[in-house]
Every structure is written in structure tokens, then in C-alpha cells.
Amino acid sequence: MSVRVFVPGDAGALAVGADDVAQAIERVAAEQGTAVEIVRNGSRGLYWLEPLVEVETETGRVAYGPVAPHDVKELFEAGFLEGKPSGLFLGATEEIPFLKRQTRLTFARCGVVDPRSLDDYRAHGGTAGLAHALKMPPAEIVEQVKASGLRGRGGAGFPTGIKWETALKAAAGRKYVVCNADEGDSGTFADRMIMEGDPFLLIEGMTIAGLAIGATKGFVYLRSEYPHAEIAMNAAIAAARRAGLLGPDVGGSGKAFELEVRMGAGAYVCGEETSLLESLEGKRGQVRAKPPLPAHKGLFGKPTIINNVLTFAAVPYILSEGAERYRDFGMGRSRGTMPIQLAGNVKHGGLFETAFGVTLGDLVNDIGGGTATGRPVRAVQVGGPLGAYFPPELFDTPFDYEAFTAKDGLIGHGGIVVFDDTVDMAEQARFALEFCAIESCGKCTPCRIGSIRGTEVIDRIVAGENVEANLALVEELCETMRFGSLCALGGFTPFPVLSALRHYPEDFSGAHARRMQAAE
Amino acid sequence: MSGDGHDALVREIVDAHRGVDGATLPILNKVQETLGYVPDAALPIVAEALNISPAEVYGVLTFYHDYRREPPGRHVVKLCRAEACQAAGGREVAEHICQRLGVGFGETSPDGRVTLEAVYCLGLCATAPSAMVDGRVVGRIDHERADAIAAEVNQ
């Protein structure tokens, strides 16, 4: 019998040479006449160890990493196919502290299963939630989701069950389920990992949503920067269709649900739900004014629920294990788990799923291990390009929707980008406005014009022109953007700008340049 | 070099999307995937098939960052310039790559060798800085990896 060896096919692993490692293993195995079966799994989310190679042994899976192609011969010689230790040996995968400390509900299978195998998905508990949902009337599915306390994982944190209930109650001959897979926030990759590593989970979650609101068609709106996710999703949808999990008769229930992947074309603002709908309809991705809510009048004017990948991906667990089981995790009004992503200049970058309530400091210093460069952490941006910068003084903030709002920040899609003490916060504040200017859809003035004027004012402050007056002007401009913009792009860009000004005022008066000079 | 020679191909793509709801992006994506850009001559063909005005197609074409209206270089390098990559030394890597490739962002080298484009996040934020070189992802880019990319492209 051949030994099963796992080499991730996840884009993050491919980016650091996983394909070359897989080929090297095949080659050496062939040379030695050893039978190996290479499974291209998703990533476990321990990116500093990628490419992370696992071997299935009698006592479970053991890991080696980070493996380079030139390490492979040595691994064979050290007996890695029997799980024997060598220089890159990490022990039993599940016992690696970064993994062991997590509560993986949504990511339970990611990195474990073969993402192309529906049988593997089923063998690891997949489709159990759908089986339960198929026995329930729509209102009961919605009730379960409501009772779980699940809130939208895309950033807004709106209660998912309420959204679904609104769409369920909307009378229409045709309704849609739309997955927002336009994961554009820098520092986030959880959606990508699910689509590449456990695509059937998203299909299952969206199918349950379709049953819940009475929709027969779903779209996954996927960003063009994720070609590997496109391939994985399309393959999984085709497999689900062949197995009768999608199509006119879902699981033999007589109910229909069909799924289609639609690719974006590089527009950050299309992650905003109404802009996404415009794009799906074939138009410029310009934001719509609300109301009407998409749940009343969404895609092609029909009632539509739009949720993030992680929101749909949380649903199968809720349906299979029960709303209360999910609800038991978390704190306050933030229930369940959040897949948090540690990125940027961090020693242990990756995916860390845990119940709400862990502090920012624990995430960055303890779990993330501080910076990759070994220098002191100076700032972390939480929640993507529209999220606030947090200094170490605020590291006692618990990861929770309300707690972050109280500190003038947001958790967004759960991305944390770590910066060391070489960062120039005036440059970061300027970039936030510049990014807003590049990506603005142009529909509302505060965002379209405010972002450009903002970069100019920051430049003047840094140049030392009328500093007091220009600082007041930036504050005022941010207030206009905050309250006058149609969507979160213009409305939230003030978060990174104002937090940089508040916590790092010295960088706006040339302190960064002086610091860098002193360092040299 | 006009787009005239591509009319038949654009028509073929348009025909393959009959009955698709909201087909503008799927059509333009396919045209660009096939030709590397969307020639101006495609606009009236797409407009007619979708029963919208050429101005509307133009509006869509110019809204999305991905679409090119000119053919790209033989190689396309997309370098991430977003925060996670900035935090990991991306600004310096960007300068280095521009220098090695001899082009700025949004430019194609005069010899048609390479086009350098900025992207804002490839979702490779824990293996930053990252890039996509002719569709292949590359992470943890330091000077050595940047030089390897340049060598591959400059061949």
C-alpha cells in the first residue's frame, strides 16, 4: 500500500514552492521504487512553515516544514515516509501549538481533506448540516441561524439570521443567494483558504441558505486575483452536481439549487454588497443607495441575500451541531468563532480560528510571535485597509465587534497586519487615502474628492505647511467622509487616517525621518 | 495594430454567452483572457449583442482595473502594493523590481518584453511580499527572488 503524503495546493503554499516540492517527492519516490500517493490538500494555515508536508502514519499525521525541493532527498533518507524525525520534523500536526490552541469549527477540514474529493468531505462530517436542513421547513433553518448569534463575517457584523428572515418573508417568484468572495482586504486570506481547501463547505452553506429563503440560484462573486480558488470552486461545483447535491433535486429532496462562479475584474469596491450586485448585473461596480435593502430588492431587482464566504461556511456547523453549540463560543454579542488572519511583518503568520474574546496582544505577540524582523511591534492594522491602526498600548482590546468599535476601530474580516518600528505612520495614513482614491467608485463626492484632497493635505502637514490648520482640516475632511459617504469605502477610510494621527502624531512632524536617520 | 482582425473571435465569445444574465463581465473577461486585452473594435459588437450602448460597455471596461485596452508585454508581472506587503518590505521590493525590469507601474517596456502592474492584495499576506508572474504566484520576495523574476522575464 502506498503512503499518503500531503503537499498543499493552496496558493500561499504554491507561492513558496509547493509544486516543486511535490515534484521532488514524486521523483525521489520513483527513483527509490517507493509507492507514494501525493494529496494536494489545502493549507493548515501555518504559513511560516509552508510548504508544510505531512505524512500519514499509523499513529496519525506528522508534519515537516518548511520543506524546500533540495530537502526532499534527505527527508527520504531520514525515513520521513515512516514519520521518523529529521531536521524539519514538526511532530504530530495536530500537536503543533499554533494549531492545538485553535477552535476550528469553520476550518475543521481545511488542510486535512483532499479538496477535490466529495467522499473525503463526507467522511469528515461534510453534508451533515445540509441533511438536517433538508428535513426542516425554511423558517426553522432561519430560526437556527438566528439562534446561533452568527453575524456577517465580511466586516459589517450584521446578524445573519435577520437578513435571511427578511429575504424569506419577501414575496417573489425568484430569489438569489450571493456569496461575496471579493476578499479584497489586505491581510486577509481566510475566504481564499476555504475555497481552495474546503470548497464543498461553501457549497453546502450556500445550498442551506437557498433552502432557507426559497432561492434556486446562487452566485459566487469571486475576485480575479484568486485564480486557484476559481479552479477549486468550479471543480467542486461540478462534483456536487454529479453527486446530485446541486441541481434540480438537491439530495433527493425535490428542491432545486444551482450555483455559478462569476469572476470580478479588479475593483476593491465590488466587495461592497450593492456594488457587487451591480457588477453581477454586468454594470460598473457603483454603489447603490439603501434602501431598498438587497433582501427586498437585490440582484436583478429580486430579493437577495449576500453573505461573505466565512458566514456561509459557518452555517453547516450550526445546522449539524446545533445553534447552541455554536453560540456557546464567544463573548457579549459576538458569538461563535472568528477565523483571524495574522499577516505582514509577523513571525508566525497564518490562520488562527478562535472564539471571540482573545486580546489583540495575545494574537500579535503570543500567537503571532511578534515581528518576523525581530524588531519591536509599533502598529497593527486590524480589519483591512479601512481598519484602524492600533498601538501596543491598546493591545488589551478583546477581539469582539463592540470592543473594537469602542476603540474607534473595527474587526472587519479579521485580518491583522503587523508593522515593526520602521513604519512611517504618515505614509500609512496617506496610503489609506490614496487607496480610497484609486478604488472609489466615484458615485459620492466625499469619497471621490475627499480622498484625493486628503492625500494633498497630509503631504502639506508632512512638509510642515500650516500644520495646525491642516490637521484641523484633515479631521474635518474625515468627518465629512465618515458621515457623508454612501458606503464603507469612503465612510471607513477615516479609521486608518485618524488612528494614525491620534496614536502617532510625531510621525506627521518628521519624527520618522529623524528616527530612520538615527538608526543609520 | 487594430482590433479588426479579432472581430470573429469576439463574436464567437459573445455567441457563447447568449442567455447569460449580466453577461458583460463574463464576455469582457473572456476577451481579455484570449487576447490579453480588449480591443476597441470589440465594444460595438458586445454592445449590440447585449442590447446596450457602446458607451455603457466603455463605462464598464474603464471602471475595472483588470481590463487593458492595449496589448500587454510578453510577460505580465503583478506586484502587490497593499498594506501586508508594505509591512514586509514591499515598498523597497517594488523599487527594486521597477529598476530591474526597467519599467514603472502601469507601464510596458518599449520592446514589449514586460508589463508591470500594481495589484492590491493577492491573498498571500502571510507569505508577503507577493507577486503574480504570468499567472504564477510568488511569495516571500526578497532581492534574490526579485532578481530571479527579472531574469526570467528579461530573457
Side-chain angles (χ1 to χ4, degrees):
Chain A
M1 214 179 93
S2 60
V3 183
R4 298 223 311 165
V5 177
F6 297 80
V7 185
D10 172 278
L14 297 180
V16 288
D19 273 348
D20 293 338
V21 171
Q23 278 165 21
I25 291 172
E26 245 169 35
R27 196 177 53 240
V28 177
E31 279 167 17
Q32 302 195 347
T34 318
V36 294
E37 180 198 347
I38 297 179
V39 178
R40 302 308 299 268
N41 55 334
S43 173
R44 295 270 196 167
L46 289 68
Y47 280 106
W48 77 99
L49 296 173
E50 292 288 1
L52 180 91
V53 176
E54 288 180 81
V55 179
E56 198 168 69
T57 70
E58 279 172 12
T59 53
R61 276 155 75 159
V62 295
Y64 300 81
V67 179
H70 60 77
D71 296 324
V72 169
K73 193 139 199 171
E74 223 174 283
L75 283 175
F76 270 87
E77 282 162 8
F80 94 121
L81 290 183
E82 293 94 57
K84 288 186 182 158
S86 73
L88 297 169
F89 187 62
L90 299 164
T93 317
E94 304 284 350
E95 295 299 318
I96 298 173
F98 189 90
L99 256 186
K100 200 176 164 69
R101 293 175 68 178
Q102 302 193 36
T103 304
R104 288 203 163 189
L105 309 185
T106 299
F107 277 78
R109 269 175 304 263
C110 190
V112 177
V113 296
D114 177 352
R116 278 166 294 196
S117 166
L118 185 54
D119 290 340
D120 215 7
Y121 181 67
R122 283 192 162 119
H124 287 80
T127 68
L130 177 63
H132 281 192
L134 283 170
K135 289 181 215 135
M136 295 176 181
E140 201 181 323
I141 302 175
V142 170
E143 211 43 56
Q144 284 290 312
V145 175
K146 264 169 83 178
S148 74
L150 177 66
R151 293 166 70 178
R153 298 285 185 248
F158 188 80
T160 306
I162 307 274
K163 192 184 270 187
W164 289 22
E165 187 171 48
T166 312
L168 169 63
K169 286 180 176 164
R174 182 168 247 238
K175 297 178 186 178
Y176 292 103
V177 173
V178 174
C179 175
N180 185 344
D182 195 29
E183 184 177 53
D185 286 358
S186 177
T188 67
F189 42 82
D191 295 354
R192 180 183 63 67
M193 283 180 68
I194 285 291
M195 290 184 282
E196 292 175 1
D198 196 10
F200 293 107
L201 179 66
L202 177 57
I203 295 172
E204 185 180 351
M206 290 184 72
T207 307
I208 293 169
L211 296 170
I213 68 159
T216 53
K217 172 93 191 202
F219 288 98
V220 178
Y221 185 88
L222 178 60
R223 61 200 302 261
S224 62
E225 292 84 351
Y226 284 2
H228 303 88
E230 181 190 10
I231 293 167
M233 281 309 303
N234 278 325
I237 287 170
R241 209 175 275 144
R242 280 195 302 274
L245 277 180
L246 288 173
D249 184 21
V250 174
S253 65
K255 290 176 179 164
F257 191 70
E258 212 15 281
L259 258 186
E260 187 181 334
V261 176
R262 281 288 175 93
M263 299 306 286
Y268 176 76
V269 75
C270 288
E272 196 284 332
E273 60 179 11
T274 61
S275 163
L276 187 156
L277 292 176
E278 291 285 300
S279 186
L280 263 181
E281 291 182 8
K283 302 173 192 158
R284 290 162 71 87
Q286 283 193 305
V287 173
R288 295 178 185 170
K290 287 189 276 193
L293 294 172
H296 289 132
K297 212 163 172 257
L299 186 61
F300 301 112
K302 303 295 178 193
T304 303
I305 51 170
I306 309 182
N307 281 121
N308 176 254
V309 174
L310 298 181
T311 314
F312 284 123
V315 167
Y317 179 90
I318 292 164
L319 268 292
S320 69
E321 307 303 316
E324 282 183 9
R325 184 89 168 263
Y326 189 79
R327 208 196 150 77
D328 281 346
F329 296 99
M331 68 175 276
R333 288 174 52 218
S334 304
R335 309 311 311 176
T337 59
M338 182 73 196
I340 295 164
Q341 300 124 85
L342 294 165
N345 187 352
V346 64
K347 193 173 171 199
H348 296 159
L351 189 287
F352 194 89
E353 181 177 354
T354 189
F356 285 96
V358 57
T359 68
L360 185 54
D362 277 350
L363 285 165
V364 173
N365 292 321
D366 191 16
I367 294 157
T371 64
T373 48
R375 300 184 68 95
V377 175
R378 181 147 186 263
V380 296
Q381 188 179 26
V382 185
L386 309 175
Y389 285 97
F390 280 70
E393 295 78 63
L394 292 178
F395 275 12
D396 58 346
T397 311
F399 212 82
D400 162 90
Y401 291 103
E402 278 70 37
F404 266 71
T405 308
K407 299 275 170 73
D408 295 317
L410 49 100
I411 65 171
H413 187 48
I416 298 179
V417 177
V418 182
F419 292 80
D420 71 13
D421 62 347
T422 61
V423 67
D424 177 354
M425 294 307 295
E427 194 172 30
Q428 295 310 121
R430 190 192 192 281
F431 175 77
L433 288 156
E434 188 189 339
F435 181 73
C436 180
I438 294 169
E439 299 296 339
S440 177
C441 82
K443 181 136 173 176
C444 68
T445 318
C447 174
R448 186 184 67 244
I449 308 287
S451 51
I452 290 276
R453 292 290 96 88
T455 59
E456 295 163 0
V457 181
I458 298 271
D459 285 344
R460 273 183 233 127
I461 293 169
V462 171
E465 287 174 37
N466 277 332
V467 174
E468 287 303 310
N470 278 317
L471 282 172
L473 189 59
V474 159
E475 297 264 352
E476 201 179 306
L477 182 71
C478 281
E479 191 168 322
T480 306
M481 289 178 72
R482 180 83 214 272
F483 297 102
S485 298
L486 268 176
C487 81
L489 179 51
F492 289 1
T493 292
F495 279 117
V497 178
L498 292 178
S499 58
L501 275 163
R502 184 168 307 126
H503 302 304
Y504 311 90
E506 64 276 18
D507 282 19
F508 293 81
S509 56
H512 178 264
R514 285 194 297 277
R515 224 174 32 245
M516 289 297 103
Q517 232 162 21
E520 274 169 22
Chain B
M1 192 163 126
S2 87
D4 297 349
H6 301 306
D7 281 13
L9 189 128
V10 174
R11 274 180 217 288
E12 204 177 292
I13 290 169
V14 161
D15 284 337
H17 287 81
R18 297 239 182 249
V20 173
D21 289 330
T24 325
L25 269 76
I27 289 172
L28 294 178
N29 284 347
K30 189 72 191 170
V31 171
Q32 173 139 324
E33 184 193 315
T34 314
L35 299 175
Y37 73 115
V38 181
D40 283 347
L43 297 189
I45 303 171
V46 176
E48 197 192 354
L50 297 177
N51 198 23
I52 57 179
S53 73
E56 282 172 276
V57 183
Y58 177 85
V60 172
L61 187 68
T62 52
F63 182 86
Y64 297 92
H65 299 306
D66 279 0
Y67 296 131
R68 301 186 197 99
R69 299 182 59 208
E70 299 289 335
R74 288 189 296 282
H75 299 281
V76 176
V77 177
K78 297 182 179 199
L79 187 71
C80 178
R81 308 200 73 194
E83 290 91 338
C85 286
Q86 291 168 3
R91 285 197 173 94
E92 209 238 331
V93 164
E95 260 178 49
H96 186 76
I97 285 210
C98 284
Q99 196 203 355
R100 285 301 156 100
L101 297 181
V103 288
F105 284 95
E107 291 175 10
T108 299
S109 61
D111 58 1
R113 172 178 38 92
V114 61
T115 297
L116 179 63
E117 294 176 347
V119 284
Y120 293 92
C121 200
L122 294 165
L124 307 171
C125 320
T127 50
S130 62
M132 199 178 263
V133 182
D134 296 329
R136 184 172 50 84
V137 284
V138 188
R140 290 184 200 141
I141 302 178
D142 48 14
H143 276 207
E144 199 182 318
R145 268 201 190 158
D147 289 345
I149 292 171
E152 177 189 334
V153 164
N154 289 339
Q155 264 176 14

